[in-house]
Amino acid sequence: MQVEATSTVRFGRTSIPYGIRRSPRRKTVSVAVDPEDGVLLTAPVGVSVERLDRVVKDRAPWILGKLHQTEASEPRPAPREFVSGESFLYLGRQYRLRVVPRKHPGPAKLSAGWLAVEVERGLKASRRASAVRDGLVAWYWARAEQKLPERVQAWAHAAGGKRIGDIIIADQRRRWASCDSAGNLRFNWRIAQAPLRLVDYVVVHELAHLRHRDHTPAFWRALEEAQSDYGVRRRSLRGLGPGLEW
């Protein structure tokens, strides 16, 4: 049974988006929290969205508790050590890290299939790890500054004619992107690690927000019009996301 509609309820400062499934066999409304699909309501045919919104609001404490349990139960990747041999993604492809001590370090670069990061010779382990991370962040940041404007241009129709402002790369913890009322788009540099199809999902998501600020049914319809498989991409990014945060 497919999700037929979506809605969003505000509970305090928290937004709770949910999907709606209808079944002629159901006599009551059921609420489920799925690890991949989020909050799902299965309702009898004919039950209004307004009534379902009230159900979600009434059960919001329980729903948020379940969502927090789901997040807490997800396995976290092992901490990065930033040493030679570790794997890092760029646009979904794995590259091995090569740490190269130099008297005068230069910027990180892709070289012969390796992601090479130069660091000052003689650094202690902790300072070396920090220097490697800094070099990697700078490299990904530059790649994001190059790639994101290209993807925004490729999907510009998803903005529905709304003005697209500046494209800004930022360090946004636990947020892939955001937009403001002036049409400026901010992207987390970490998204450059993800496969291009997931980068495109983030881009289209924000472009749709230029037309619809909140996660209303109209927003999800606009997103589906632009990218019919957005749900699959969204779930893939949710699964991959923890491994991209370092």
XYZ file of all heavy atoms in Angstrom, residues 102-185:
655
model
N 55.416 16.359 4.348
C 56.209 17.262 3.526
C 56.783 18.371 4.398
O 56.192 18.751 5.405
C 55.341 17.921 2.446
C 54.715 16.977 1.444
C 55.717 16.550 0.401
N 55.041 15.892 -0.718
C 55.612 15.018 -1.506
N 56.882 14.684 -1.307
N 54.954 14.463 -2.500
N 57.904 18.896 3.972
C 58.447 20.060 4.675
C 57.552 21.267 4.452
O 57.315 22.075 5.366
C 59.870 20.342 4.188
C 60.543 21.492 4.938
C 61.986 21.683 4.468
C 62.662 22.821 5.242
N 64.077 23.021 4.803
N 57.024 21.394 3.236
C 56.126 22.499 2.905
C 54.862 21.902 2.285
O 54.789 21.745 1.053
C 56.796 23.477 1.932
C 58.059 24.076 2.457
N 58.086 24.969 3.514
C 59.350 23.895 2.080
C 59.330 25.325 3.758
N 60.124 24.690 2.912
N 53.853 21.570 3.110
C 52.650 20.886 2.602
C 51.863 21.756 1.629
O 51.767 22.977 1.774
C 51.837 20.620 3.872
C 52.799 20.756 5.004
C 53.809 21.757 4.570
N 51.289 21.092 0.631
C 50.387 21.744 -0.310
C 48.960 21.269 -0.081
O 48.684 20.513 0.861
N 48.032 21.671 -0.921
C 46.635 21.268 -0.757
C 46.421 19.801 -1.095
O 47.208 19.191 -1.829
C 45.897 22.173 -1.738
C 46.925 22.515 -2.777
C 48.221 22.598 -2.049
N 45.349 19.232 -0.563
C 44.985 17.850 -0.870
C 44.607 17.733 -2.346
O 44.186 18.708 -2.979
C 43.821 17.408 0.016
N 44.753 16.523 -2.890
C 44.423 16.303 -4.303
C 44.179 14.826 -4.554
O 44.619 13.959 -3.790
C 45.550 16.807 -5.192
C 46.895 16.122 -4.922
C 48.016 16.761 -5.733
C 49.372 16.135 -5.377
N 50.490 16.779 -6.124
N 43.433 14.561 -5.636
C 43.294 13.198 -6.116
C 44.502 12.883 -6.983
O 44.812 13.626 -7.921
C 42.020 13.032 -6.941
C 40.709 12.846 -6.179
C 39.541 12.738 -7.146
C 40.767 11.620 -5.285
N 45.173 11.790 -6.669
C 46.388 11.436 -7.397
C 46.457 9.931 -7.575
O 46.524 9.186 -6.577
C 47.620 11.940 -6.634
O 48.811 11.549 -7.269
N 46.396 9.482 -8.831
C 46.513 8.059 -9.161
C 45.525 7.208 -8.359
O 45.870 6.125 -7.893
C 47.948 7.583 -8.934
N 44.306 7.714 -8.211
C 43.280 6.958 -7.519
C 43.295 7.089 -6.009
O 42.468 6.487 -5.326
N 44.234 7.837 -5.467
C 44.327 8.072 -4.035
C 43.913 9.507 -3.717
O 44.122 10.421 -4.534
C 45.760 7.859 -3.544
C 46.205 6.427 -3.548
C 46.623 5.715 -4.636
C 46.269 5.546 -2.436
N 46.953 4.433 -4.263
C 46.745 4.299 -2.918
C 45.989 5.674 -1.083
C 46.933 3.201 -2.100
C 46.181 4.580 -0.248
C 46.644 3.358 -0.749
N 43.364 9.700 -2.522
C 43.098 11.038 -2.012
C 44.287 11.410 -1.140
O 44.407 10.963 0.005
C 41.794 11.048 -1.220
C 41.271 12.395 -0.724
C 41.283 13.446 -1.819
C 39.862 12.237 -0.174
N 45.205 12.175 -1.712
C 46.478 12.459 -1.049
C 46.389 13.777 -0.275
O 45.982 14.803 -0.818
C 47.595 12.540 -2.076
N 46.765 13.720 0.994
C 46.762 14.902 1.854
C 48.171 15.096 2.392
O 48.724 14.219 3.062
C 45.772 14.745 3.025
C 45.805 15.986 3.914
C 44.364 14.510 2.508
N 48.752 16.247 2.109
C 50.099 16.549 2.585
C 50.019 17.233 3.951
O 49.161 18.095 4.177
C 50.822 17.452 1.582
C 51.027 16.781 0.231
C 51.791 17.663 -0.739
O 52.186 18.794 -0.339
O 52.011 17.240 -1.876
N 50.902 16.824 4.857
C 50.956 17.428 6.192
C 52.414 17.745 6.521
O 53.341 17.192 5.922
C 50.372 16.485 7.270
C 48.901 16.242 7.032
C 51.146 15.161 7.333
N 52.577 18.612 7.474
C 53.930 18.992 7.879
C 54.670 17.787 8.459
O 54.127 17.047 9.287
C 53.851 20.122 8.907
C 55.202 20.676 9.328
C 55.067 21.801 10.330
O 53.936 22.317 10.495
O 56.078 22.155 10.963
N 55.879 17.614 8.047
C 56.700 16.496 8.524
C 57.003 16.652 10.012
O 57.250 17.754 10.506
C 58.001 16.431 7.726
C 58.870 15.224 8.027
C 60.108 15.218 7.157
N 59.764 15.017 5.753
C 60.269 15.725 4.750
N 61.137 16.702 4.998
N 59.919 15.471 3.501
N 56.925 15.528 10.739
C 57.304 15.521 12.141
C 56.176 15.812 13.117
O 56.417 15.886 14.329
N 54.938 15.958 12.651
C 53.834 16.218 13.562
C 53.532 14.999 14.424
O 53.636 13.856 13.971
C 52.571 16.579 12.775
C 52.538 17.945 12.072
C 51.240 18.082 11.297
C 52.691 19.076 13.076
N 53.149 15.235 15.687
C 52.704 14.145 16.538
C 51.361 13.627 16.037
O 50.655 14.305 15.291
C 52.589 14.619 17.984
C 53.943 14.963 18.615
C 53.786 15.353 20.073
C 55.142 15.652 20.705
N 55.018 16.056 22.140
N 50.979 12.416 16.477
C 49.809 11.728 15.925
C 48.541 12.565 16.004
O 47.783 12.671 15.028
C 49.611 10.391 16.635
N 48.280 13.180 17.166
C 47.033 13.929 17.319
C 47.007 15.162 16.417
O 45.987 15.469 15.788
C 46.837 14.337 18.780
O 47.911 15.162 19.214
N 48.116 15.859 16.331
C 48.184 17.052 15.480
C 48.152 16.651 14.010
O 47.599 17.370 13.178
C 49.443 17.853 15.786
C 49.419 18.561 17.143
C 50.583 19.508 17.279
N 50.546 20.553 16.254
C 51.585 21.318 15.929
N 52.759 21.151 16.543
N 51.481 22.241 14.995
N 48.742 15.504 13.705
C 48.700 15.037 12.321
C 47.263 14.736 11.911
O 46.831 15.123 10.815
C 49.572 13.800 12.140
C 49.454 13.202 10.746
C 50.262 11.947 10.581
N 51.687 12.245 10.509
C 52.595 11.407 9.999
N 52.210 10.236 9.533
N 53.860 11.745 9.963
N 46.527 14.038 12.764
C 45.131 13.707 12.441
C 44.320 14.972 12.202
O 43.508 15.050 11.272
C 44.511 12.879 13.563
N 44.533 15.982 13.040
C 43.822 17.245 12.882
C 44.193 17.929 11.572
O 43.333 18.477 10.871
C 44.127 18.167 14.063
O 43.464 19.392 13.943
N 45.475 17.892 11.230
C 45.931 18.513 9.994
C 45.365 17.787 8.774
O 44.983 18.414 7.772
C 47.460 18.517 9.939
N 45.297 16.452 8.859
C 44.721 15.675 7.756
C 43.247 16.024 7.573
O 42.772 16.243 6.457
C 44.898 14.164 7.999
C 44.114 13.357 6.959
C 46.376 13.781 7.958
N 42.525 16.082 8.689
C 41.105 16.433 8.590
C 40.929 17.813 7.976
O 40.077 18.008 7.103
C 40.435 16.383 9.970
C 38.929 16.651 9.889
C 38.272 16.743 11.247
N 36.833 16.873 11.095
C 36.194 18.011 10.821
N 36.895 19.137 10.688
N 34.885 18.048 10.672
N 41.734 18.781 8.415
C 41.631 20.131 7.861
C 41.875 20.128 6.356
O 41.181 20.816 5.593
C 42.629 21.064 8.538
C 42.259 21.379 9.982
O 41.103 21.099 10.379
O 43.132 21.892 10.721
N 42.865 19.350 5.936
C 43.149 19.265 4.505
C 42.016 18.649 3.718
O 41.675 19.102 2.616
N 41.404 17.613 4.290
C 40.267 16.968 3.632
C 39.065 17.905 3.546
O 38.411 17.995 2.501
C 39.874 15.696 4.390
C 40.795 14.493 4.216
C 40.410 13.398 5.210
C 40.721 13.954 2.782
N 38.775 18.590 4.643
C 37.634 19.508 4.646
C 37.817 20.574 3.567
O 36.882 20.892 2.811
C 37.443 20.153 6.030
C 36.411 21.282 5.962
C 36.992 19.111 7.049
N 39.017 21.131 3.476
C 39.281 22.156 2.461
C 39.078 21.600 1.055
O 38.532 22.283 0.165
C 40.695 22.707 2.624
N 39.504 20.363 0.847
C 39.362 19.737 -0.470
C 37.885 19.514 -0.809
O 37.434 19.863 -1.916
C 40.125 18.415 -0.499
C 40.152 17.785 -1.859
C 41.031 18.055 -2.866
C 39.252 16.788 -2.352
N 40.742 17.279 -3.973
C 39.659 16.493 -3.678
C 38.170 16.107 -1.816
C 38.991 15.559 -4.473
C 37.494 15.169 -2.601
C 37.913 14.896 -3.915
N 37.123 18.941 0.129
C 35.696 18.720 -0.120
C 34.951 20.042 -0.295
O 34.025 20.143 -1.115
C 35.077 17.923 1.032
C 35.307 16.437 0.945
C 36.180 15.802 1.820
C 34.656 15.664 0.001
C 36.401 14.431 1.760
C 34.861 14.297 -0.082
C 35.724 13.685 0.800
O 35.941 12.327 0.728
N 35.319 21.030 0.481
C 34.674 22.350 0.388
C 34.835 22.913 -1.035
O 33.866 23.400 -1.634
C 35.300 23.292 1.413
C 34.453 24.476 1.778
C 34.089 25.513 0.967
C 33.882 24.746 3.068
N 33.333 26.411 1.659
C 33.188 25.976 2.941
C 33.912 24.088 4.291
C 32.511 26.541 4.029
C 33.234 24.659 5.363
C 32.550 25.866 5.230
N 36.056 22.819 -1.547
C 36.311 23.324 -2.899
C 35.532 22.527 -3.942
O 34.999 23.095 -4.914
C 37.809 23.277 -3.207
N 35.445 21.209 -3.770
C 34.682 20.391 -4.716
C 33.196 20.742 -4.656
O 32.523 20.795 -5.683
C 34.860 18.900 -4.399
C 36.269 18.369 -4.393
C 36.911 18.263 -5.765
N 37.489 19.503 -6.242
C 38.578 20.095 -5.709
N 39.203 19.562 -4.676
N 39.042 21.198 -6.201
N 32.693 20.988 -3.442
C 31.282 21.360 -3.295
C 31.005 22.704 -3.958
O 29.968 22.894 -4.605
C 30.905 21.403 -1.816
N 31.937 23.661 -3.803
C 31.765 24.971 -4.435
C 31.726 24.860 -5.960
O 31.077 25.661 -6.631
C 32.893 25.905 -4.012
C 32.783 26.395 -2.571
C 33.903 27.323 -2.173
O 35.026 27.166 -2.718
O 33.667 28.201 -1.320
N 32.374 23.847 -6.481
C 32.390 23.644 -7.920
C 31.144 22.881 -8.386
O 30.531 23.229 -9.403
C 33.641 22.858 -8.308
C 33.729 22.515 -9.789
C 34.945 21.664 -10.105
O 35.482 20.973 -9.244
N 35.385 21.715 -11.344
N 30.764 21.846 -7.647
C 29.719 20.935 -8.106
C 28.308 21.433 -7.821
O 27.400 21.254 -8.663
C 29.927 19.568 -7.447
C 28.952 18.482 -7.903
C 29.023 18.222 -9.390
C 30.366 17.679 -9.824
N 30.358 17.295 -11.275
N 28.062 22.042 -6.671
C 26.692 22.401 -6.300
C 26.056 23.405 -7.258
O 24.887 23.239 -7.631
C 26.645 22.899 -4.866
C 26.326 21.840 -3.784
C 24.979 21.185 -4.038
C 27.402 20.775 -3.697
N 26.760 24.480 -7.685
C 26.126 25.373 -8.665
C 25.726 24.649 -9.954
O 24.691 24.968 -10.549
C 27.209 26.424 -8.928
C 28.019 26.439 -7.664
C 28.054 25.006 -7.222
N 26.533 23.675 -10.389
C 26.182 22.898 -11.577
C 24.877 22.145 -11.371
O 24.009 22.121 -12.260
C 27.296 21.891 -11.900
C 28.622 22.498 -12.296
C 29.684 21.433 -12.500
O 29.334 20.228 -12.445
O 30.856 21.800 -12.721
N 24.711 21.541 -10.202
C 23.509 20.744 -9.948
C 22.283 21.629 -9.754
O 21.177 21.269 -10.162
C 23.709 19.841 -8.732
C 24.902 18.913 -8.800
C 25.096 18.296 -10.181
N 23.954 17.501 -10.614
C 23.747 17.128 -11.886
N 24.574 17.519 -12.838
N 22.693 16.391 -12.179
N 22.486 22.790 -9.134
C 21.362 23.732 -9.005
C 20.894 24.168 -10.390
O 19.689 24.221 -10.668
C 21.763 24.941 -8.142
C 20.694 26.032 -8.218
C 21.971 24.515 -6.695
N 21.825 24.457 -11.269
C 21.461 24.864 -12.620
C 20.731 23.744 -13.351
O 19.750 23.988 -14.068
C 22.722 25.265 -13.396
C 22.453 25.778 -14.802
C 21.616 27.042 -14.816
O 21.774 27.902 -13.955
N 20.716 27.155 -15.783
N 21.191 22.514 -13.157
C 20.572 21.375 -13.839
C 19.134 21.146 -13.393
O 18.307 20.649 -14.172
C 21.403 20.113 -13.601
N 18.817 21.492 -12.144
C 17.483 21.250 -11.593
C 16.725 22.549 -11.333
O 15.736 22.554 -10.598
C 17.606 20.468 -10.281
C 18.058 19.056 -10.460
C 19.332 18.587 -10.395
C 17.234 17.920 -10.737
N 19.361 17.231 -10.608
C 18.091 16.801 -10.821
C 15.857 17.741 -10.915
C 17.605 15.512 -11.076
C 15.378 16.461 -11.175
C 16.240 15.363 -11.255
N 17.130 23.622 -11.955
C 16.536 24.925 -11.661
C 15.024 24.958 -11.876
O 14.307 25.720 -11.212
C 17.202 26.008 -12.507
N 14.519 24.108 -12.785
C 13.070 24.086 -13.040
C 12.273 23.707 -11.796
O 11.099 24.057 -11.673
C 12.749 23.115 -14.173
C 13.093 21.692 -13.856
N 14.378 21.188 -13.996
C 12.334 20.663 -13.402
C 14.383 19.907 -13.644
N 13.157 19.570 -13.283
N 12.918 23.004 -10.841
C 12.215 22.599 -9.623
C 11.847 23.794 -8.753
O 10.986 23.689 -7.876
C 13.059 21.608 -8.822
N 12.477 24.941 -9.004
C 12.156 26.151 -8.246
C 10.857 26.788 -8.723
O 10.356 27.724 -8.089
C 13.294 27.159 -8.344
N 10.318 26.316 -9.839
C 9.041 26.816 -10.324
C 9.040 28.292 -10.649
O 8.032 28.982 -10.472
N 10.170 28.792 -11.141
C 10.240 30.196 -11.502
C 10.633 31.117 -10.369
O 10.836 32.320 -10.599
N 10.753 30.596 -9.161
C 11.174 31.435 -8.043
C 12.648 31.811 -8.189
O 13.446 31.051 -8.733
C 10.962 30.708 -6.712
C 9.500 30.436 -6.379
C 8.746 31.721 -6.104
C 7.313 31.446 -5.668
N 6.565 32.681 -5.381
N 12.994 32.981 -7.662
C 14.365 33.468 -7.762
C 15.321 32.581 -6.987
O 15.067 32.239 -5.837
C 14.450 34.901 -7.229
C 15.862 35.468 -7.210
C 15.917 36.826 -6.546
N 17.281 37.332 -6.470
C 18.146 37.024 -5.504
N 17.773 36.223 -4.523
N 19.369 37.515 -5.507
N 16.410 32.208 -7.631
C 17.485 31.476 -6.968
C 18.594 32.471 -6.669
O 19.123 33.114 -7.579
C 18.010 30.329 -7.846
C 16.885 29.341 -8.145
C 19.183 29.624 -7.155
C 17.275 28.256 -9.133
N 18.929 32.625 -5.400
C 19.941 33.589 -4.991
C 21.332 32.995 -5.017
O 21.691 32.218 -5.908
N 22.121 33.334 -4.025
C 23.493 32.844 -3.944
C 23.524 31.382 -3.515
O 22.650 30.913 -2.775
C 24.289 33.679 -2.945
C 24.450 35.122 -3.392
O 24.435 35.369 -4.621
O 24.575 35.999 -2.524
N 24.538 30.680 -3.959
C 24.778 29.295 -3.546
C 25.986 29.310 -2.632
O 27.096 29.683 -3.044
C 25.006 28.395 -4.767
C 23.753 28.407 -5.659
C 25.348 26.970 -4.338
C 23.968 27.790 -7.013
N 25.765 28.925 -1.385
C 26.767 29.082 -0.336
C 27.109 27.710 0.245
O 26.204 26.931 0.566
C 26.228 30.003 0.780
C 25.833 31.371 0.192
C 27.256 30.166 1.901
C 24.941 32.183 1.089
N 28.386 27.430 0.377
C 28.823 26.198 1.037
C 29.083 26.526 2.500
O 29.708 27.545 2.824
C 30.088 25.625 0.372
C 29.850 25.446 -1.138
C 30.469 24.300 1.021
C 28.643 24.598 -1.495
N 28.598 25.679 3.393
C 28.678 25.961 4.829
C 28.960 24.680 5.599
O 28.928 23.576 5.051
C 27.366 26.592 5.311
N 29.253 24.857 6.878
C 29.456 23.729 7.786
C 28.210 23.648 8.661
O 28.093 24.348 9.658
C 30.708 23.957 8.638
C 31.106 22.728 9.437
O 30.317 21.758 9.467
O 32.188 22.731 10.033
N 27.265 22.797 8.252
C 25.978 22.697 8.939
C 25.855 21.300 9.546
O 25.586 20.338 8.833
C 24.814 22.952 7.970
C 24.888 24.298 7.303
C 23.680 24.589 6.428
O 22.968 25.553 6.630
N 23.450 23.744 5.443
N 26.051 21.183 10.821
C 25.963 19.895 11.491
C 24.543 19.361 11.407
O 23.579 20.055 11.706
C 26.365 20.033 12.959
C 27.864 20.116 13.163
C 28.527 18.777 12.913
N 29.955 18.804 13.183
C 30.737 17.737 13.028
N 30.247 16.605 12.615
N 32.026 17.824 13.276
N 24.407 18.101 10.985
C 23.127 17.383 10.955
C 22.087 18.099 10.094
O 20.888 17.980 10.316
C 22.591 17.161 12.370
C 23.547 16.387 13.278
C 22.885 15.967 14.563
N 21.804 15.021 14.335
C 21.977 13.711 14.123
N 23.198 13.202 14.106
N 20.952 12.930 13.941
N 22.530 18.821 9.085
C 21.615 19.454 8.145
C 22.311 19.511 6.800
O 23.406 20.070 6.686
C 21.260 20.856 8.635
C 20.091 21.472 7.924
C 19.698 22.777 8.598
N 18.435 23.273 8.106
C 17.837 24.357 8.552
N 18.397 25.052 9.521
N 16.682 24.741 8.057
N 21.679 18.961 5.780
C 22.325 18.893 4.479
C 22.250 20.210 3.734
O 23.152 20.528 2.955
C 21.705 17.784 3.635
C 21.943 16.432 4.195
C 21.003 15.525 4.605
C 23.213 15.806 4.441
N 21.609 14.386 5.091
C 22.959 14.530 4.990
C 24.545 16.206 4.241
C 23.987 13.655 5.357
C 25.570 15.343 4.605
C 25.281 14.076 5.149
N 21.191 20.961 3.948
C 21.039 22.202 3.208
C 19.933 23.032 3.841
O 19.158 22.550 4.674
C 20.706 21.919 1.739
N 19.863 24.287 3.430
C 18.802 25.177 3.880
C 18.653 26.295 2.860
O 19.515 26.491 1.995
C 19.113 25.755 5.267
O 20.313 26.517 5.225
N 17.545 27.025 2.934
C 17.344 28.172 2.054
C 16.677 29.280 2.854
O 16.117 29.032 3.928
C 16.508 27.802 0.836
S 14.814 27.315 1.201
N 16.756 30.498 2.344
C 16.119 31.608 3.039
C 15.148 32.319 2.110
O 15.024 31.982 0.921
C 17.164 32.572 3.622
C 18.075 33.183 2.570
O 17.622 33.370 1.421
O 19.238 33.479 2.875
N 14.470 33.320 2.650
C 13.421 33.996 1.900
C 13.961 34.780 0.705
O 13.212 35.124 -0.206
C 12.635 34.933 2.820
O 13.503 35.887 3.417
N 15.268 35.066 0.706
C 15.876 35.767 -0.421
C 16.278 34.822 -1.550
O 16.805 35.268 -2.578
C 17.092 36.556 0.050
N 16.045 33.530 -1.357
C 16.387 32.547 -2.380
C 17.797 32.027 -2.302
O 18.247 31.282 -3.186
N 18.540 32.400 -1.250
C 19.902 31.896 -1.083
C 19.868 30.445 -0.608
O 19.083 30.094 0.282
C 20.660 32.751 -0.076
C 20.764 34.194 -0.515
O 21.064 34.482 -1.669
N 20.510 35.120 0.399
N 20.722 29.626 -1.182
C 20.794 28.205 -0.856
C 22.118 27.920 -0.159
O 23.184 28.284 -0.666
C 20.689 27.356 -2.122
C 19.476 27.604 -3.019
C 19.565 26.744 -4.272
C 18.179 27.300 -2.266
